[in-house]
């Protein structure tokens, strides 16, 4: 079920992922995309921007739902995922910003913010294609290793390993928010197709466990083995333990 596409390097991974996303948008112009933040998908977003500018792909009817957002950050905070998505993607293509959605980290009422997001994603009919990065610890979205798989959007305490991994993007480690709102694993599994991108040796263990380990909430990405339509595009380093 899980198709593995090997890429030479980060650029090759990014182009291959962008090809799959743009094919989806060409085939279904009003596609619902589930989108991800992090360093890994940035290259794919750049490629899609480039193809948009060349007139090859049109986002005017596309709707997007992001996986997660830090709790407590305003939408214009440069560390927020709202900002990240505009800065790295939305501001450079012809998407209607009203059709883009990210959990509302600025709403301190976690229950309301998460319930509202779940309803929006459900009303949209769930993503046709969900883009996913994978954490060094196997997390998807901010669904961290746990003793159960999560269901809908919920508030999570980030693990020390994720806070450390993400602190590279903040001035000081103590600036990294400790909580986030994230789509749940069940919601992610409702997407009709899932595209996972991974690069670098730090992801090798998580990528191996996702593809070949036991299906366990200790590696949230391993649940993807039970999804009927998953493509992993990863570079050689990320695939180094899969050979
Ligand atoms: P990264 O994050 O792309 O910045 O490595 C991936 C993730 O944590 O999901």
């Amino acid at each position: 079920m899980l198709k593995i596409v090997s890429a030479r390097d980060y650029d090759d991974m990014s182009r291959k992922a962008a090809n799959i996303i743009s094919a989806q948008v060409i085939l279904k112009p009003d596609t619902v995309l589930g989108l991800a933040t992090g360093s890994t998908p940035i290259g794919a977003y750049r490629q899609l921007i480039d193809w948009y500018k060349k007139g090859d792909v049109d986002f005017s009817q596309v709707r997007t739902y992001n996986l997660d957002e830090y709790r407590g950050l305003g939408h214009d905070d440069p560390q927020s995922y709202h900002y990240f998505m505009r800065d790295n993607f939305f501001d450079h293509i012809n998407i209607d910003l009203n059709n883009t959605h990210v959990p509302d980290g600025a709403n301190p009422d976690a229950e309301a913010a998460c319930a509202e997001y779940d309803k929006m994603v459900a009303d949209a009919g769930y993503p046709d294609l969900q883009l996913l990065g994978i954490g060094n610890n196997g997390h998807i979205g901010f669904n961290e290793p746990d003793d159960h798989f999560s269901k809908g959007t919920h508030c999570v305490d980030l693990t020390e390993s994720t806070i450390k991994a993400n602190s590279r993007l903040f001035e000081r480690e103590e600036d990294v928010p400790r909580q986030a709102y994230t789509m749940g694993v069940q919601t992610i599994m409702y997407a009709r197709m899932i595209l996972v991108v991974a690069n670098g040796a730090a992801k090798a263990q998580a990528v191996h466990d996702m593809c070949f380990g036991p299906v366990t909430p200790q590696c949230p990405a391993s649940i993807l083995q039970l999804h009927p339509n998953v493509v992993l595009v990863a570079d050689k380093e990320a695939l180094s333990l899969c050979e």
Side-chain angles (χ1 to χ4, degrees):
M1 291 298 179
L2 199 153
K3 187 169 174 45
I4 300 177
V5 176
S6 174
R8 286 185 301 279
D9 52 25
Y10 181 79
D11 285 347
D12 190 37
M13 176 204 77
S14 299
R15 269 196 314 278
K16 285 181 159 70
N19 259 305
I20 294 167
I21 297 166
S22 80
Q24 171 66 36
V25 174
I26 289 166
L27 288 169
K28 188 177 179 216
D30 62 347
T31 225
V32 176
L33 292 179
L35 295 180
T37 51
S39 308
T40 317
I42 289 179
Y45 293 145
R46 284 210 186 111
Q47 183 63 75
L48 288 168
I49 291 166
D50 188 46
W51 285 333
Y52 158 70
K53 287 188 172 152
K54 289 183 170 137
D56 289 342
V57 54
D58 171 18
F59 294 94
S60 60
Q61 297 177 61
V62 170
R63 284 168 293 158
T64 68
Y65 293 84
N66 263 75
L67 287 166
D68 46 19
E69 176 61 287
Y70 288 120
R71 184 184 192 196
L73 297 191
H75 300 182
D76 292 325
D77 188 308
Q79 301 291 0
S80 73
Y81 290 166
H82 277 82
Y83 185 96
F84 175 102
M85 289 308 301
R86 294 197 304 270
D87 195 36
N88 286 290
F89 195 34
F90 299 151
D91 282 352
H92 312 283
I93 57 173
N94 65 335
I95 199 162
D96 180 347
L97 281 180
N98 294 316
N99 290 338
T100 69
H101 309 82
V102 180
D104 186 7
N107 184 350
D109 183 342
E111 214 165 295
C114 293
E116 184 192 333
Y117 200 66
D118 266 342
K119 183 169 179 339
M120 285 197 288
V121 182
D123 288 350
Y126 299 103
D128 294 299
L129 188 161
Q130 173 70 57
L131 176 63
L132 281 184
I134 178 170
N136 299 348
N137 63 3
H139 75 199
I140 48 176
F142 271 133
N143 294 285
E144 302 282 28
D146 205 343
D147 58 10
H148 65 283
F149 287 112
S150 63
K151 297 189 173 69
T153 306
H154 58 290
C155 182
V156 290
D157 296 325
L158 303 183
T159 61
E160 275 312 310
S161 102
T162 295
I163 291 167
K164 235 185 192 26
N166 291 8
S167 66
R168 72 187 192 278
L169 307 167
F170 289 77
E171 219 163 271
R172 298 169 307 173
E173 194 170 313
E174 52 267 40
D175 295 339
V176 185
R178 266 36 189 180
Q179 289 187 311
Y181 300 150
T182 183
M183 249 188 221
V185 169
Q186 184 180 40
T187 310
I188 293 170
M189 290 288 282
Y190 284 153
R192 269 144 336 257
M193 177 182 179
I194 295 182
L195 170 60
V196 185
V197 285
N199 74 292
K203 299 290 171 70
Q205 189 66 52
V207 164
H208 170 272
D209 294 351
M210 165 187 146
C211 299
F212 302 109
V215 175
T216 163
Q218 293 304 329
C219 175
S222 65
I223 191 88
L224 301 177
Q225 291 175 38
L226 304 184
H227 190 283
N229 192 5
V230 179
V231 178
L232 164 70
V233 182
D235 75 348
K236 290 198 162 43
E237 291 181 338
L239 290 173
S240 59
L241 296 179
C242 292
E243 280 142 15

